[in-house]
Structures are given as C-alpha cells and as structure tokens.
Amino acid sequence: MIDSSVLVDNLVAALRDIPDLVDEMGGDPERIFAYHDQYPKRVSLAHAIHTMPAPSVMAAWQGTAPGSFGGFDVWKHSITLYVRARESFDGEPATPYYRIFRLVTKGVPTSGDGQPLLNLQIHPSCHPMDLPLIQRQTDAEGLDYFEVPITFTEMGDE
C-alpha cells in the first residue's frame, strides 16, 4: 500500500502546474495546498475548511479502502478537494466553481505529456483518478463551498 500523503502532494503539484487553475487562484499557486493531519497542530479538517481563503483549493486524504479492479483486490485512496472560489462581482458571469471543476478534470499540467489531469497518472503505483463529482457543502457559518471527492485505485499492493 502506498503512502497516501505522497499521492496528495503529487496531486497538489499537478494542480499547481495548470496555469489556468493558478489564474483562478489569483495567480498564487500557494492557494492550492495539501492538508496533512499532524497531531497536535492540525487535528481538525473542519477548522481547516472554515479558515480556507477565497479563492483556494485544499486537498485532504479521506481514507483508504479495499476495492476491486479487473477482478483483483486493490486499495482505493480517497482524496477530497475543498474549493472556495474567488469573489464574484455584479455583472460578472457566475462561473468560478464551474471553471475550477472543469480545470480539475480537463486542465492540462504544463510539465505533463499533454493529457488532461483526469487522464494523468498522479502516482506511479496508481491508475488515473476515477471520474470525480462536485457537490455543495456548507461550513459552520452557513457559507457554501464545494467538495470534489476523487478516488485513485492502486495498481497492486506496493
């Protein structure tokens, strides 16, 4: 089984390598970042979500579960992207979340082989991500943000 923190870091690096996504973050690649549990400093994902700046994308490992792929037992690693879009102003198209989701799936990292992120092998021991979804969530203050749960299937048991 792979170290999922490496998978999270590789995903963040790939997202930071998509110029249009960095543009959506106000040109700051540091607004695309990983959340790694670290006792006692980082022990609340809910707090991390609540304090995310707008715009930003935070990647957090949710867990690893057994699964099946092609008749074989495999590990499936779940990572969620938490997304807060930039401020939208009157008269602008209300599309920041749609653009971000499209870039997470169809964006092309500059250092890759020209493939969209959806088709890239983020970790050498994992298949490309399963087709993700995007869903609305609400934080403790009643402010909406979006989650993009992503699953990566390991190619064996490393």
Side-chain angles (χ1 to χ4, degrees), residues 70-136:
F72 295 96
D73 292 334
V74 294
W75 295 109
K76 292 188 172 264
H77 305 278
S78 299
I79 297 172
T80 299
L81 300 180
Y82 298 91
V83 180
R84 288 204 193 268
R86 65 174 175 76
E87 182 179 356
S88 295
F89 299 98
D90 289 339
E92 284 185 322
T95 60
Y97 284 108
Y98 308 112
R99 281 196 309 265
I100 292 170
F101 182 61
R102 179 164 175 75
L103 290 167
V104 165
T105 58
K106 298 292 186 181
V108 178
T110 57
S111 63
D113 60 1
Q115 293 290 319
L117 190 64
L118 183 64
N119 298 332
L120 286 183
Q121 193 174 359
I122 299 298
H123 189 284
S125 294
C126 290
H127 294 283
M129 71 174 82
D130 292 349
L131 197 60
L133 62 94
I134 186 168
Q135 55 195 9
R136 180 183 306 269

Side-chain angles (χ1 to χ4, degrees), residues 1 3 10 16-17 24 31 38 52 54 67-68 75 78 81-82 87 94 123 129 133-134 141 146 150:
M1 180 183 329
D3 179 343
N10 289 359
R16 286 179 175 175
D17 200 29
E24 284 295 319
R31 292 223 174 198
Q38 188 178 21
M52 284 176 60
S68 181
W75 295 109
S78 299
L81 300 180
Y82 298 91
E87 182 179 356
H123 189 284
M129 71 174 82
L133 62 94
I134 186 168
E141 287 186 359
F146 281 81
I150 299 172

Side-chain angles (χ1 to χ4, degrees), residues 38-57:
Q38 188 178 21
Y39 185 82
K41 295 177 184 177
R42 284 189 214 111
V43 293
S44 174
L45 180 58
H47 177 72
I49 294 167
H50 178 70
T51 58
M52 284 176 60
S56 63
V57 175

